[in-house]
């Protein structure tokens, strides 16, 4: 199995690439998105993922696309699953060469 490249959690990207440069606090973001501050905190701390609804909210707020946020989450989840299941995946015998 080919190694899956490491990925950054989308909450880290949200914080480091969007809110910090724009000086948006967790409190402001949570208020503006109509979510609890714990939701934003959990995203920043990699304890929560980007849901389809959150991707819609973030895309509207920052002028991105929902796919941008969902793709970040998908790549992160894929890498995390690969690391967890790497040994199991390596036992699979390829049928097509």
């Amino acid at each position: 199995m080919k190694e899956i490249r490491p990925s950054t959690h989308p909450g880290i990207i949200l914080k480091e690439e969007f809110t910090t440069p724009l000086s948006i606090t967790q409190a402001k973001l949570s208020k503006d998105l109509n979510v609890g501050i714990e939701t934003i905190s959990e995203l920043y701390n990699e304890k929560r993922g980007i849901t389809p609804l959150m991707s819609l909210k973030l895309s509207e707020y920052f002028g991105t696309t929902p796919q941008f946020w969902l793709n970040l989450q998908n790549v992160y989840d894929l890498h995390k699953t690969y690391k967890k299941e790497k040994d199991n995946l390596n036992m699979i015998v390829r049928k097509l060469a």
Side-chain angles (χ1 to χ4, degrees):
M1 162 118 320
K2 190 175 181 182
E3 185 76 22
I4 306 289
R5 77 168 189 86
S7 180
T8 303
H9 190 278
I12 301 297
I13 293 171
L14 171 63
K15 181 181 179 186
E16 294 182 5
E17 301 294 328
F18 289 88
T19 59
T20 298
L22 296 170
S23 299
I24 299 170
T25 65
Q26 287 187 46
K28 177 165 176 42
L29 185 61
S30 67
K31 181 177 182 245
D32 291 349
L33 297 181
N34 196 30
V35 298
I37 195 166
E38 59 278 347
T39 298
I40 303 303
S41 177
E42 288 174 356
L43 276 171
Y44 282 4
N45 292 299
E46 304 178 43
K47 294 180 179 178
R48 178 186 294 254
I50 301 290
T51 63
L53 177 57
M54 182 58 79
S55 75
L56 291 167
K57 289 181 176 195
L58 291 171
S59 67
E60 187 67 29
Y61 193 74
F62 291 110
T64 61
T65 64
Q67 291 81 8
F68 171 78
W69 297 103
L70 290 175
N71 287 342
L72 289 173
Q73 187 65 52
N74 192 39
V75 169
Y76 177 80
D77 290 344
L78 184 62
H79 179 257
K80 188 174 168 183
T81 301
Y82 173 77
K83 285 189 68 137
K84 180 180 177 186
E85 298 295 335
K86 184 177 179 179
D87 291 340
N88 185 31
L89 291 167
N90 285 332
M91 293 188 328
I92 297 172
V93 176
R94 190 176 298 195
K95 292 294 180 191
L96 301 174

